[in-house]
Amino acid sequence: MDNKLLASKCLKGDQKACKELYDSYAPSMMAVCQRYCKSQEQAEDCLQDGFIKVFVHLESWNASGDLGAWIRRIIVNTCLSSLKNAKAQWVNFEDEVVMAVSVECDAVSRLGFQELEELLLKMPIGYRTVFNLHVIEGYGYDEIATMLQITESTCRSQMHKAKNCLAKKITELQPEVKYAVWQTIGWIL
């Protein structure tokens, strides 16, 4: 069934259509939730809360737009709200001395999707959130700063630290990978 018809049936209260919409999008949206949340339980809660919002606000979906992208946006915002409510710790980065780490480019390409996902889940929540929003979702630093109610420099620092954290975890996973460490002052990117 196409998305316009599916949405129309959901809005009319057709439970089969609602189940079909949920079943079609829940697996990929759960993956989004797992990237942002600290635990499986929190991810499941965000998925449930997000889909409640989807069904409540389905009439506001612009049928000319992609339904999956609209649902994804709601799910991401639900996860971010959950993180704010959990009072995720954001570290201010201004005038801080930082060690920057770089790994061989092909070290990341040797990782499987599952390995990379596991590495991301091991990162602190602040780093992981900014990394997901910037690298996976494609938001700019100014947008992320607004969404998370943090300064742009804090956003950049979280991204920088996320990259360093990821590089260190890759070298732990692949000890044969060479990496360089250098010191810098202020934020980079």
Side-chain angles (χ1 to χ4, degrees):
M1 182 178 324
D2 81 326
N3 286 334
K4 288 181 187 179
L5 181 58
L6 187 61
S8 174
K9 286 185 173 191
C10 288
L11 288 170
K12 290 176 184 170
D14 183 333
Q15 293 300 308
K16 284 185 179 181
C18 291
K19 180 169 178 16
E20 183 178 337
L21 185 131
Y22 180 84
D23 289 345
S24 295
Y25 290 99
S28 59
M29 295 305 127
M30 177 53 98
V32 170
C33 293
Q34 289 171 326
R35 280 199 307 267
Y36 286 96
C37 297
K38 293 183 268 187
S39 67
Q40 182 65 26
E41 294 79 22
Q42 185 184 23
E44 290 169 359
D45 288 345
C46 286
L47 182 71
Q48 179 179 352
D49 292 347
F51 267 99
I52 289 170
K53 291 175 186 176
V54 166
F55 289 116
V56 167
H57 299 289
L58 191 56
E59 75 280 349
S60 69
W61 170 59
N62 178 357
S64 64
D66 180 30
L67 180 60
W70 182 79
I71 292 172
R72 182 185 191 94
R73 178 85 179 202
I74 290 172
I75 296 294
V76 167
N77 287 335
T78 301
C79 291
L80 295 178
S81 293
S82 176
L83 292 175
K84 286 178 195 172
N85 291 339
K87 299 188 189 312
Q89 302 258 335
W90 302 98
V91 180
N92 197 341
F93 185 65
E94 296 172 15
D95 302 322
E96 187 176 323
V97 176
V98 175
M99 299 303 287
V101 178
S102 172
V103 296
E104 295 173 354
C105 291
D106 110 308
V108 176
S109 64
R110 288 189 296 221
L111 288 175
F113 176 77
Q114 189 68 30
E115 289 174 310
L116 184 58
E117 195 170 57
E118 286 173 16
L119 291 178
L120 292 176
L121 289 174
K122 291 178 183 174
M123 292 193 323
I125 193 71
Y127 301 178
R128 186 171 73 224
T129 302
V130 173
F131 185 89
N132 281 325
L133 288 169
H134 186 66
V135 175
I136 309 292
E137 306 294 339
Y139 290 105
Y141 292 120
D142 56 335
E143 295 171 295
I144 297 169
T146 301
M147 291 168 81
L148 299 178
Q149 300 174 343
I150 58 177
T151 66
E152 192 170 332
S153 63
T154 299
C155 178
R156 289 178 181 275
S157 77
Q158 294 289 312
M159 183 63 193
H160 180 74
K161 290 178 180 183
K163 288 179 180 179
N164 287 345
C165 182
L166 190 56
K168 288 177 184 176
K169 289 185 182 308
I170 289 171
T171 58
E172 290 168 6
L173 190 63
Q174 300 177 8
E176 72 282 0
V177 172
K178 295 179 182 166
Y179 63 94
V181 179
W182 65 93
Q183 188 173 10
T184 185
I185 297 180
W187 48 269
I188 298 176
L189 294 180

